[in-house]
Amino acid sequence: MSSTWMTTRAWLLMLPLLVIMIAVIGWPMIDTVRLSFTDAKLVGTGGSFVGIDNYVKMLSSSNFQRALYATTWFAVVSVAAEMVIGVLAALLLNQQFYGRAVLRALLILPWALPTVVNATLWRLIYNPEYGALNSALTQIGLLDSYRSWLGEPGTAMTALIVADCWKNFPLVAFIALAALQAVPRDITAASLVDGAGPFNRFRFVILPYLAGPLMVALVLRTIEAFKVFDIIWVMTRGGPANSTRTLSILVYQEAFSFQRAGSGASLALVVTLIVTVLAVGYGMLVRRTAGSAT
């Protein structure tokens, strides 16, 4: 059987999937691009052609700049915390101790919970009237009175980051734990014989095996954190005083709440471009890391 026929057969087998992808992804993307150059008020309406006015107004607006800052801050802090906590949890679960299997099973529960359920759970914990966090901090003397953690601009973003970390650090932990299983035991035993301390053993023996998988986790979590919508929408809806309004929240408000479909489409394409640049950049880092490892 010739290679040409094999290639043709492969494309024929992929054809139904390609048609579905074009219908589900390609056409909506093309229509969004068209909509971004109009002043349409509602999604699905025509609108008049305005050129790049939507992009100029959006990129120069203070709302976009504040949302970009909030998105970047949320992504950087939450992903960094998840990476650190996830690696520490993986190192702990890689040790031999009684009940390790049960703890490994329990660790997946936060990640397995739907995001809406997780967000609702944390809203109850942060509740200013009967929340568990206020109750615990008051009983141990760290608070004199209950606080509205999600109602104050100074604490709302931090509260969201904590909720997001609790939800997603198990993913990093399991990726790191799988990589730790590949570390040869004779190498770690030799480092102990040579007198290497815990820090040097982690840095020079374990970390090289973790670098590639952790880079993959970093790529996945950074892209997801930059696109975050659901957990913030359920917990704060971008408030208070727009202090937690990210780019995805702004896209939704522009297109549906404020009924500025053209402006919302232009902002959605800007967010897509930023995420694409992040994905390509991280992809290059992953390939470089994999190449240096081999």
Side-chain angles (χ1 to χ4, degrees), residues 220-257:
L220 296 175
R221 284 303 308 134
T222 302
I223 294 175
E224 288 298 320
F226 207 89
K227 299 187 304 179
V228 64
F229 175 84
D230 41 10
I231 189 171
I232 295 180
W233 185 254
V234 172
M235 294 182 69
T236 66
R237 294 184 180 269
N242 295 328
S243 60
T244 62
R245 184 168 66 177
T246 59
L247 290 174
S248 296
I249 299 290
L250 185 59
V251 169
Y252 177 84
Q253 291 177 339
E254 284 288 325
F256 301 103
S257 299

PDB file of all heavy atoms in Angstrom, residues 220-257:
ATOM      1  N   LEU A 220      -0.249  24.841  31.388  1.00  0.00           N
ATOM      2  CA  LEU A 220      -1.686  24.609  31.535  1.00  0.00           C
ATOM      3  C   LEU A 220      -2.315  25.577  32.516  1.00  0.00           C
ATOM      4  O   LEU A 220      -3.357  26.195  32.237  1.00  0.00           O
ATOM      5  CB  LEU A 220      -1.939  23.160  31.983  1.00  0.00           C
ATOM      6  CG  LEU A 220      -1.535  22.060  31.006  1.00  0.00           C
ATOM      7  CD1 LEU A 220      -1.731  20.687  31.645  1.00  0.00           C
ATOM      8  CD2 LEU A 220      -2.348  22.157  29.721  1.00  0.00           C
ATOM      9  N   ARG A 221      -1.693  25.746  33.659  1.00  0.00           N
ATOM     10  CA  ARG A 221      -2.285  26.576  34.693  1.00  0.00           C
ATOM     11  C   ARG A 221      -2.225  28.068  34.347  1.00  0.00           C
ATOM     12  O   ARG A 221      -3.142  28.818  34.673  1.00  0.00           O
ATOM     13  CB  ARG A 221      -1.590  26.326  36.029  1.00  0.00           C
ATOM     14  CG  ARG A 221      -1.981  25.036  36.686  1.00  0.00           C
ATOM     15  CD  ARG A 221      -3.485  24.948  36.918  1.00  0.00           C
ATOM     16  NE  ARG A 221      -3.965  26.130  37.627  1.00  0.00           N
ATOM     17  CZ  ARG A 221      -5.054  26.811  37.274  1.00  0.00           C
ATOM     18  NH1 ARG A 221      -5.788  26.445  36.237  1.00  0.00           N
ATOM     19  NH2 ARG A 221      -5.415  27.873  37.961  1.00  0.00           N
ATOM     20  N   THR A 222      -1.156  28.519  33.696  1.00  0.00           N
ATOM     21  CA  THR A 222      -1.075  29.932  33.344  1.00  0.00           C
ATOM     22  C   THR A 222      -2.154  30.303  32.339  1.00  0.00           C
ATOM     23  O   THR A 222      -2.825  31.337  32.474  1.00  0.00           O
ATOM     24  CB  THR A 222       0.316  30.270  32.768  1.00  0.00           C
ATOM     25  OG1 THR A 222       1.319  29.941  33.727  1.00  0.00           O
ATOM     26  CG2 THR A 222       0.420  31.752  32.437  1.00  0.00           C
ATOM     27  N   ILE A 223      -2.337  29.473  31.330  1.00  0.00           N
ATOM     28  CA  ILE A 223      -3.357  29.757  30.318  1.00  0.00           C
ATOM     29  C   ILE A 223      -4.746  29.738  30.943  1.00  0.00           C
ATOM     30  O   ILE A 223      -5.581  30.620  30.688  1.00  0.00           O
ATOM     31  CB  ILE A 223      -3.253  28.750  29.163  1.00  0.00           C
ATOM     32  CG1 ILE A 223      -1.931  28.948  28.412  1.00  0.00           C
ATOM     33  CG2 ILE A 223      -4.428  28.887  28.214  1.00  0.00           C
ATOM     34  CD1 ILE A 223      -1.679  27.927  27.328  1.00  0.00           C
ATOM     35  N   GLU A 224      -5.020  28.745  31.787  1.00  0.00           N
ATOM     36  CA  GLU A 224      -6.327  28.668  32.434  1.00  0.00           C
ATOM     37  C   GLU A 224      -6.550  29.842  33.378  1.00  0.00           C
ATOM     38  O   GLU A 224      -7.654  30.393  33.451  1.00  0.00           O
ATOM     39  CB  GLU A 224      -6.456  27.344  33.192  1.00  0.00           C
ATOM     40  CG  GLU A 224      -6.601  26.128  32.301  1.00  0.00           C
ATOM     41  CD  GLU A 224      -7.856  26.196  31.445  1.00  0.00           C
ATOM     42  OE1 GLU A 224      -8.902  26.629  31.955  1.00  0.00           O
ATOM     43  OE2 GLU A 224      -7.774  25.835  30.255  1.00  0.00           O
ATOM     44  N   ALA A 225      -5.514  30.234  34.116  1.00  0.00           N
ATOM     45  CA  ALA A 225      -5.659  31.351  35.048  1.00  0.00           C
ATOM     46  C   ALA A 225      -5.878  32.665  34.316  1.00  0.00           C
ATOM     47  O   ALA A 225      -6.615  33.537  34.783  1.00  0.00           O
ATOM     48  CB  ALA A 225      -4.420  31.452  35.949  1.00  0.00           C
ATOM     49  N   PHE A 226      -5.253  32.818  33.155  1.00  0.00           N
ATOM     50  CA  PHE A 226      -5.417  34.058  32.407  1.00  0.00           C
ATOM     51  C   PHE A 226      -6.821  34.147  31.805  1.00  0.00           C
ATOM     52  O   PHE A 226      -7.321  35.251  31.560  1.00  0.00           O
ATOM     53  CB  PHE A 226      -4.367  34.147  31.295  1.00  0.00           C
ATOM     54  CG  PHE A 226      -4.026  35.554  30.923  1.00  0.00           C
ATOM     55  CD1 PHE A 226      -3.012  36.234  31.595  1.00  0.00           C
ATOM     56  CD2 PHE A 226      -4.699  36.221  29.923  1.00  0.00           C
ATOM     57  CE1 PHE A 226      -2.688  37.540  31.274  1.00  0.00           C
ATOM     58  CE2 PHE A 226      -4.388  37.525  29.578  1.00  0.00           C
ATOM     59  CZ  PHE A 226      -3.377  38.195  30.253  1.00  0.00           C
ATOM     60  N   LYS A 227      -7.459  33.009  31.571  1.00  0.00           N
ATOM     61  CA  LYS A 227      -8.813  33.000  31.017  1.00  0.00           C
ATOM     62  C   LYS A 227      -9.884  32.913  32.096  1.00  0.00           C
ATOM     63  O   LYS A 227     -11.069  32.768  31.767  1.00  0.00           O
ATOM     64  CB  LYS A 227      -8.987  31.808  30.066  1.00  0.00           C
ATOM     65  CG  LYS A 227      -8.065  31.809  28.864  1.00  0.00           C
ATOM     66  CD  LYS A 227      -8.428  30.690  27.910  1.00  0.00           C
ATOM     67  CE  LYS A 227      -8.410  29.345  28.591  1.00  0.00           C
ATOM     68  NZ  LYS A 227      -8.774  28.235  27.683  1.00  0.00           N
ATOM     69  N   VAL A 228      -9.524  33.020  33.353  1.00  0.00           N
ATOM     70  CA  VAL A 228     -10.442  32.733  34.453  1.00  0.00           C
ATOM     71  C   VAL A 228     -11.718  33.571  34.347  1.00  0.00           C
ATOM     72  O   VAL A 228     -11.696  34.760  34.038  1.00  0.00           O
ATOM     73  CB  VAL A 228      -9.744  32.986  35.805  1.00  0.00           C
ATOM     74  CG1 VAL A 228      -9.376  34.452  35.986  1.00  0.00           C
ATOM     75  CG2 VAL A 228     -10.610  32.496  36.959  1.00  0.00           C
ATOM     76  N   PHE A 229     -12.832  32.903  34.568  1.00  0.00           N
ATOM     77  CA  PHE A 229     -14.122  33.585  34.564  1.00  0.00           C
ATOM     78  C   PHE A 229     -15.047  33.040  35.652  1.00  0.00           C
ATOM     79  O   PHE A 229     -15.543  33.785  36.485  1.00  0.00           O
ATOM     80  CB  PHE A 229     -14.804  33.434  33.191  1.00  0.00           C
ATOM     81  CG  PHE A 229     -16.189  34.012  33.144  1.00  0.00           C
ATOM     82  CD1 PHE A 229     -16.378  35.354  32.900  1.00  0.00           C
ATOM     83  CD2 PHE A 229     -17.307  33.200  33.369  1.00  0.00           C
ATOM     84  CE1 PHE A 229     -17.662  35.902  32.865  1.00  0.00           C
ATOM     85  CE2 PHE A 229     -18.592  33.733  33.342  1.00  0.00           C
ATOM     86  CZ  PHE A 229     -18.766  35.091  33.084  1.00  0.00           C
ATOM     87  N   ASP A 230     -15.264  31.722  35.648  1.00  0.00           N
ATOM     88  CA  ASP A 230     -16.337  31.132  36.439  1.00  0.00           C
ATOM     89  C   ASP A 230     -16.190  31.355  37.939  1.00  0.00           C
ATOM     90  O   ASP A 230     -17.139  31.782  38.601  1.00  0.00           O
ATOM     91  CB  ASP A 230     -16.479  29.639  36.130  1.00  0.00           C
ATOM     92  CG  ASP A 230     -15.129  28.944  35.990  1.00  0.00           C
ATOM     93  OD1 ASP A 230     -14.094  29.558  36.314  1.00  0.00           O
ATOM     94  OD2 ASP A 230     -15.114  27.775  35.540  1.00  0.00           O
ATOM     95  N   ILE A 231     -14.998  31.100  38.497  1.00  0.00           N
ATOM     96  CA  ILE A 231     -14.852  31.209  39.946  1.00  0.00           C
ATOM     97  C   ILE A 231     -15.019  32.654  40.406  1.00  0.00           C
ATOM     98  O   ILE A 231     -15.604  32.931  41.460  1.00  0.00           O
ATOM     99  CB  ILE A 231     -13.493  30.623  40.396  1.00  0.00           C
ATOM    100  CG1 ILE A 231     -13.441  30.527  41.923  1.00  0.00           C
ATOM    101  CG2 ILE A 231     -12.328  31.459  39.872  1.00  0.00           C
ATOM    102  CD1 ILE A 231     -12.235  29.762  42.425  1.00  0.00           C
ATOM    103  N   ILE A 232     -14.536  33.610  39.601  1.00  0.00           N
ATOM    104  CA  ILE A 232     -14.668  35.022  39.962  1.00  0.00           C
ATOM    105  C   ILE A 232     -16.117  35.470  39.794  1.00  0.00           C
ATOM    106  O   ILE A 232     -16.650  36.214  40.628  1.00  0.00           O
ATOM    107  CB  ILE A 232     -13.717  35.883  39.112  1.00  0.00           C
ATOM    108  CG1 ILE A 232     -12.264  35.525  39.437  1.00  0.00           C
ATOM    109  CG2 ILE A 232     -13.959  37.374  39.343  1.00  0.00           C
ATOM    110  CD1 ILE A 232     -11.252  36.309  38.649  1.00  0.00           C
ATOM    111  N   TRP A 233     -16.766  35.023  38.740  1.00  0.00           N
ATOM    112  CA  TRP A 233     -18.143  35.441  38.511  1.00  0.00           C
ATOM    113  C   TRP A 233     -19.071  34.942  39.612  1.00  0.00           C
ATOM    114  O   TRP A 233     -19.955  35.667  40.068  1.00  0.00           O
ATOM    115  CB  TRP A 233     -18.623  34.948  37.150  1.00  0.00           C
ATOM    116  CG  TRP A 233     -19.979  35.443  36.787  1.00  0.00           C
ATOM    117  CD1 TRP A 233     -21.143  34.730  36.787  1.00  0.00           C
ATOM    118  CD2 TRP A 233     -20.334  36.767  36.372  1.00  0.00           C
ATOM    119  NE1 TRP A 233     -22.199  35.522  36.396  1.00  0.00           N
ATOM    120  CE2 TRP A 233     -21.728  36.777  36.133  1.00  0.00           C
ATOM    121  CE3 TRP A 233     -19.600  37.939  36.172  1.00  0.00           C
ATOM    122  CZ2 TRP A 233     -22.393  37.915  35.716  1.00  0.00           C
ATOM    123  CZ3 TRP A 233     -20.269  39.076  35.745  1.00  0.00           C
ATOM    124  CH2 TRP A 233     -21.652  39.056  35.522  1.00  0.00           C
ATOM    125  N   VAL A 234     -18.870  33.723  40.055  1.00  0.00           N
ATOM    126  CA  VAL A 234     -19.721  33.160  41.100  1.00  0.00           C
ATOM    127  C   VAL A 234     -19.462  33.839  42.443  1.00  0.00           C
ATOM    128  O   VAL A 234     -20.403  34.115  43.201  1.00  0.00           O
ATOM    129  CB  VAL A 234     -19.499  31.642  41.223  1.00  0.00           C
ATOM    130  CG1 VAL A 234     -20.240  31.069  42.435  1.00  0.00           C
ATOM    131  CG2 VAL A 234     -19.959  30.938  39.964  1.00  0.00           C
ATOM    132  N   MET A 235     -18.189  34.165  42.739  1.00  0.00           N
ATOM    133  CA  MET A 235     -17.849  34.666  44.059  1.00  0.00           C
ATOM    134  C   MET A 235     -18.008  36.176  44.197  1.00  0.00           C
ATOM    135  O   MET A 235     -18.467  36.669  45.236  1.00  0.00           O
ATOM    136  CB  MET A 235     -16.417  34.261  44.421  1.00  0.00           C
ATOM    137  CG  MET A 235     -16.231  32.763  44.595  1.00  0.00           C
ATOM    138  SD  MET A 235     -14.559  32.290  45.069  1.00  0.00           S
ATOM    139  CE  MET A 235     -14.469  32.948  46.739  1.00  0.00           C
ATOM    140  N   THR A 236     -17.631  36.952  43.179  1.00  0.00           N
ATOM    141  CA  THR A 236     -17.661  38.416  43.330  1.00  0.00           C
ATOM    142  C   THR A 236     -18.291  39.150  42.161  1.00  0.00           C
ATOM    143  O   THR A 236     -18.557  40.340  42.269  1.00  0.00           O
ATOM    144  CB  THR A 236     -16.227  38.969  43.501  1.00  0.00           C
ATOM    145  OG1 THR A 236     -15.484  38.748  42.295  1.00  0.00           O
ATOM    146  CG2 THR A 236     -15.512  38.311  44.668  1.00  0.00           C
ATOM    147  N   ARG A 237     -18.481  38.476  41.021  1.00  0.00           N
ATOM    148  CA  ARG A 237     -18.970  39.125  39.798  1.00  0.00           C
ATOM    149  C   ARG A 237     -18.109  40.327  39.394  1.00  0.00           C
ATOM    150  O   ARG A 237     -18.600  41.291  38.814  1.00  0.00           O
ATOM    151  CB  ARG A 237     -20.436  39.540  39.945  1.00  0.00           C
ATOM    152  CG  ARG A 237     -21.379  38.375  40.076  1.00  0.00           C
ATOM    153  CD  ARG A 237     -22.831  38.802  40.115  1.00  0.00           C
ATOM    154  NE  ARG A 237     -23.701  37.644  40.249  1.00  0.00           N
ATOM    155  CZ  ARG A 237     -24.215  36.966  39.232  1.00  0.00           C
ATOM    156  NH1 ARG A 237     -23.947  37.343  37.996  1.00  0.00           N
ATOM    157  NH2 ARG A 237     -24.998  35.914  39.432  1.00  0.00           N
ATOM    158  N   GLY A 238     -16.824  40.257  39.729  1.00  0.00           N
ATOM    159  CA  GLY A 238     -15.907  41.323  39.352  1.00  0.00           C
ATOM    160  C   GLY A 238     -15.774  42.430  40.369  1.00  0.00           C
ATOM    161  O   GLY A 238     -14.915  43.313  40.221  1.00  0.00           O
ATOM    162  N   GLY A 239     -16.573  42.429  41.409  1.00  0.00           N
ATOM    163  CA  GLY A 239     -16.518  43.457  42.443  1.00  0.00           C
ATOM    164  C   GLY A 239     -15.606  43.038  43.591  1.00  0.00           C
ATOM    165  O   GLY A 239     -14.945  41.992  43.505  1.00  0.00           O
ATOM    166  N   PRO A 240     -15.549  43.834  44.640  1.00  0.00           N
ATOM    167  CA  PRO A 240     -16.203  45.131  44.812  1.00  0.00           C
ATOM    168  C   PRO A 240     -15.424  46.248  44.105  1.00  0.00           C
ATOM    169  O   PRO A 240     -14.194  46.182  44.021  1.00  0.00           O
ATOM    170  CB  PRO A 240     -16.175  45.322  46.331  1.00  0.00           C
ATOM    171  CG  PRO A 240     -14.943  44.572  46.760  1.00  0.00           C
ATOM    172  CD  PRO A 240     -14.832  43.386  45.838  1.00  0.00           C
ATOM    173  N   ALA A 241     -16.140  47.233  43.595  1.00  0.00           N
ATOM    174  CA  ALA A 241     -15.554  48.378  42.888  1.00  0.00           C
ATOM    175  C   ALA A 241     -14.665  47.915  41.739  1.00  0.00           C
ATOM    176  O   ALA A 241     -13.619  48.511  41.476  1.00  0.00           O
ATOM    177  CB  ALA A 241     -14.776  49.263  43.851  1.00  0.00           C
ATOM    178  N   ASN A 242     -15.059  46.814  41.073  1.00  0.00           N
ATOM    179  CA  ASN A 242     -14.320  46.266  39.921  1.00  0.00           C
ATOM    180  C   ASN A 242     -12.897  45.837  40.269  1.00  0.00           C
ATOM    181  O   ASN A 242     -12.056  45.688  39.381  1.00  0.00           O
ATOM    182  CB  ASN A 242     -14.275  47.278  38.772  1.00  0.00           C
ATOM    183  CG  ASN A 242     -15.641  47.567  38.205  1.00  0.00           C
ATOM    184  OD1 ASN A 242     -16.504  46.708  38.182  1.00  0.00           O
ATOM    185  ND2 ASN A 242     -15.847  48.794  37.745  1.00  0.00           N
ATOM    186  N   SER A 243     -12.621  45.588  41.548  1.00  0.00           N
ATOM    187  CA  SER A 243     -11.257  45.225  41.953  1.00  0.00           C
ATOM    188  C   SER A 243     -10.879  43.822  41.516  1.00  0.00           C
ATOM    189  O   SER A 243      -9.689  43.495  41.442  1.00  0.00           O
ATOM    190  CB  SER A 243     -11.112  45.345  43.473  1.00  0.00           C
ATOM    191  OG  SER A 243     -12.019  44.485  44.136  1.00  0.00           O
ATOM    192  N   THR A 244     -11.863  42.966  41.230  1.00  0.00           N
ATOM    193  CA  THR A 244     -11.569  41.598  40.782  1.00  0.00           C
ATOM    194  C   THR A 244     -12.075  41.360  39.362  1.00  0.00           C
ATOM    195  O   THR A 244     -12.248  40.210  38.958  1.00  0.00           O
ATOM    196  CB  THR A 244     -12.202  40.564  41.732  1.00  0.00           C
ATOM    197  OG1 THR A 244     -13.627  40.723  41.727  1.00  0.00           O
ATOM    198  CG2 THR A 244     -11.686  40.737  43.152  1.00  0.00           C
ATOM    199  N   ARG A 245     -12.333  42.430  38.623  1.00  0.00           N
ATOM    200  CA  ARG A 245     -12.822  42.280  37.251  1.00  0.00           C
ATOM    201  C   ARG A 245     -11.664  41.943  36.328  1.00  0.00           C
ATOM    202  O   ARG A 245     -10.805  42.768  36.059  1.00  0.00           O
ATOM    203  CB  ARG A 245     -13.522  43.548  36.773  1.00  0.00           C
ATOM    204  CG  ARG A 245     -14.122  43.391  35.378  1.00  0.00           C
ATOM    205  CD  ARG A 245     -15.059  44.521  35.029  1.00  0.00           C
ATOM    206  NE  ARG A 245     -14.372  45.795  34.924  1.00  0.00           N
ATOM    207  CZ  ARG A 245     -14.975  46.938  34.578  1.00  0.00           C
ATOM    208  NH1 ARG A 245     -16.282  46.922  34.334  1.00  0.00           N
ATOM    209  NH2 ARG A 245     -14.300  48.055  34.504  1.00  0.00           N
ATOM    210  N   THR A 246     -11.638  40.733  35.818  1.00  0.00           N
ATOM    211  CA  THR A 246     -10.593  40.287  34.905  1.00  0.00           C
ATOM    212  C   THR A 246     -11.032  40.537  33.461  1.00  0.00           C
ATOM    213  O   THR A 246     -12.139  41.015  33.201  1.00  0.00           O
ATOM    214  CB  THR A 246     -10.308  38.792  35.107  1.00  0.00           C
ATOM    215  OG1 THR A 246     -11.516  38.055  34.874  1.00  0.00           O
ATOM    216  CG2 THR A 246      -9.813  38.518  36.520  1.00  0.00           C
ATOM    217  N   LEU A 247     -10.168  40.204  32.519  1.00  0.00           N
ATOM    218  CA  LEU A 247     -10.479  40.432  31.114  1.00  0.00           C
ATOM    219  C   LEU A 247     -11.693  39.628  30.659  1.00  0.00           C
ATOM    220  O   LEU A 247     -12.526  40.125  29.893  1.00  0.00           O
ATOM    221  CB  LEU A 247      -9.260  40.083  30.251  1.00  0.00           C
ATOM    222  CG  LEU A 247      -8.069  41.042  30.360  1.00  0.00           C
ATOM    223  CD1 LEU A 247      -6.891  40.505  29.565  1.00  0.00           C
ATOM    224  CD2 LEU A 247      -8.435  42.438  29.867  1.00  0.00           C
ATOM    225  N   SER A 248     -11.813  38.403  31.122  1.00  0.00           N
ATOM    226  CA  SER A 248     -12.963  37.587  30.731  1.00  0.00           C
ATOM    227  C   SER A 248     -14.263  38.166  31.278  1.00  0.00           C
ATOM    228  O   SER A 248     -15.292  38.146  30.590  1.00  0.00           O
ATOM    229  CB  SER A 248     -12.773  36.150  31.221  1.00  0.00           C
ATOM    230  OG  SER A 248     -11.659  35.542  30.601  1.00  0.00           O
ATOM    231  N   ILE A 249     -14.223  38.668  32.502  1.00  0.00           N
ATOM    232  CA  ILE A 249     -15.396  39.324  33.070  1.00  0.00           C
ATOM    233  C   ILE A 249     -15.747  40.565  32.260  1.00  0.00           C
ATOM    234  O   ILE A 249     -16.916  40.835  31.964  1.00  0.00           O
ATOM    235  CB  ILE A 249     -15.145  39.699  34.537  1.00  0.00           C
ATOM    236  CG1 ILE A 249     -14.858  38.455  35.387  1.00  0.00           C
ATOM    237  CG2 ILE A 249     -16.339  40.478  35.099  1.00  0.00           C
ATOM    238  CD1 ILE A 249     -16.021  37.556  35.604  1.00  0.00           C
ATOM    239  N   LEU A 250     -14.736  41.332  31.865  1.00  0.00           N
ATOM    240  CA  LEU A 250     -14.964  42.547  31.076  1.00  0.00           C
ATOM    241  C   LEU A 250     -15.559  42.218  29.712  1.00  0.00           C
ATOM    242  O   LEU A 250     -16.427  42.943  29.214  1.00  0.00           O
ATOM    243  CB  LEU A 250     -13.653  43.321  30.924  1.00  0.00           C
ATOM    244  CG  LEU A 250     -13.742  44.679  30.216  1.00  0.00           C
ATOM    245  CD1 LEU A 250     -14.690  45.622  30.951  1.00  0.00           C
ATOM    246  CD2 LEU A 250     -12.347  45.310  30.101  1.00  0.00           C
ATOM    247  N   VAL A 251     -15.091  41.130  29.094  1.00  0.00           N
ATOM    248  CA  VAL A 251     -15.657  40.703  27.811  1.00  0.00           C
ATOM    249  C   VAL A 251     -17.146  40.414  27.969  1.00  0.00           C
ATOM    250  O   VAL A 251     -17.976  40.861  27.163  1.00  0.00           O
ATOM    251  CB  VAL A 251     -14.918  39.459  27.279  1.00  0.00           C
ATOM    252  CG1 VAL A 251     -15.668  38.862  26.091  1.00  0.00           C
ATOM    253  CG2 VAL A 251     -13.503  39.815  26.868  1.00  0.00           C
ATOM    254  N   TYR A 252     -17.497  39.657  28.996  1.00  0.00           N
ATOM    255  CA  TYR A 252     -18.900  39.316  29.228  1.00  0.00           C
ATOM    256  C   TYR A 252     -19.737  40.573  29.463  1.00  0.00           C
ATOM    257  O   TYR A 252     -20.843  40.715  28.904  1.00  0.00           O
ATOM    258  CB  TYR A 252     -19.012  38.376  30.426  1.00  0.00           C
ATOM    259  CG  TYR A 252     -20.433  38.029  30.796  1.00  0.00           C
ATOM    260  CD1 TYR A 252     -21.104  36.997  30.154  1.00  0.00           C
ATOM    261  CD2 TYR A 252     -21.102  38.752  31.781  1.00  0.00           C
ATOM    262  CE1 TYR A 252     -22.415  36.675  30.487  1.00  0.00           C
ATOM    263  CE2 TYR A 252     -22.408  38.450  32.114  1.00  0.00           C
ATOM    264  CZ  TYR A 252     -23.057  37.413  31.465  1.00  0.00           C
ATOM    265  OH  TYR A 252     -24.354  37.123  31.786  1.00  0.00           O
ATOM    266  N   GLN A 253     -19.237  41.485  30.276  1.00  0.00           N
ATOM    267  CA  GLN A 253     -20.002  42.693  30.574  1.00  0.00           C
ATOM    268  C   GLN A 253     -20.178  43.565  29.339  1.00  0.00           C
ATOM    269  O   GLN A 253     -21.267  44.111  29.102  1.00  0.00           O
ATOM    270  CB  GLN A 253     -19.312  43.485  31.693  1.00  0.00           C
ATOM    271  CG  GLN A 253     -19.367  42.795  33.044  1.00  0.00           C
ATOM    272  CD  GLN A 253     -18.633  43.556  34.120  1.00  0.00           C
ATOM    273  OE1 GLN A 253     -17.759  44.384  33.834  1.00  0.00           O
ATOM    274  NE2 GLN A 253     -18.954  43.296  35.374  1.00  0.00           N
ATOM    275  N   GLU A 254     -19.117  43.707  28.542  1.00  0.00           N
ATOM    276  CA  GLU A 254     -19.211  44.537  27.343  1.00  0.00           C
ATOM    277  C   GLU A 254     -20.218  43.953  26.354  1.00  0.00           C
ATOM    278  O   GLU A 254     -21.053  44.666  25.800  1.00  0.00           O
ATOM    279  CB  GLU A 254     -17.841  44.652  26.670  1.00  0.00           C
ATOM    280  CG  GLU A 254     -16.877  45.604  27.356  1.00  0.00           C
ATOM    281  CD  GLU A 254     -17.261  47.055  27.160  1.00  0.00           C
ATOM    282  OE1 GLU A 254     -17.772  47.394  26.084  1.00  0.00           O
ATOM    283  OE2 GLU A 254     -17.047  47.855  28.088  1.00  0.00           O
ATOM    284  N   ALA A 255     -20.151  42.653  26.134  1.00  0.00           N
ATOM    285  CA  ALA A 255     -20.969  42.035  25.093  1.00  0.00           C
ATOM    286  C   ALA A 255     -22.418  41.820  25.517  1.00  0.00           C
ATOM    287  O   ALA A 255     -23.328  41.976  24.698  1.00  0.00           O
ATOM    288  CB  ALA A 255     -20.353  40.706  24.674  1.00  0.00           C
ATOM    289  N   PHE A 256     -22.656  41.473  26.794  1.00  0.00           N
ATOM    290  CA  PHE A 256     -23.991  41.070  27.208  1.00  0.00           C
ATOM    291  C   PHE A 256     -24.627  42.029  28.223  1.00  0.00           C
ATOM    292  O   PHE A 256     -25.792  42.392  28.069  1.00  0.00           O
ATOM    293  CB  PHE A 256     -23.956  39.649  27.781  1.00  0.00           C
ATOM    294  CG  PHE A 256     -23.449  38.629  26.799  1.00  0.00           C
ATOM    295  CD1 PHE A 256     -22.166  38.127  26.890  1.00  0.00           C
ATOM    296  CD2 PHE A 256     -24.266  38.181  25.777  1.00  0.00           C
ATOM    297  CE1 PHE A 256     -21.691  37.193  25.980  1.00  0.00           C
ATOM    298  CE2 PHE A 256     -23.805  37.235  24.860  1.00  0.00           C
ATOM    299  CZ  PHE A 256     -22.518  36.751  24.968  1.00  0.00           C
ATOM    300  N   SER A 257     -23.872  42.430  29.258  1.00  0.00           N
ATOM    301  CA  SER A 257     -24.457  43.330  30.255  1.00  0.00           C
ATOM    302  C   SER A 257     -24.670  44.724  29.689  1.00  0.00           C
ATOM    303  O   SER A 257     -25.734  45.331  29.877  1.00  0.00           O
ATOM    304  CB  SER A 257     -23.551  43.393  31.491  1.00  0.00           C
ATOM    305  OG  SER A 257     -23.416  42.119  32.089  1.00  0.00           O
TER     306      SER A 257
END
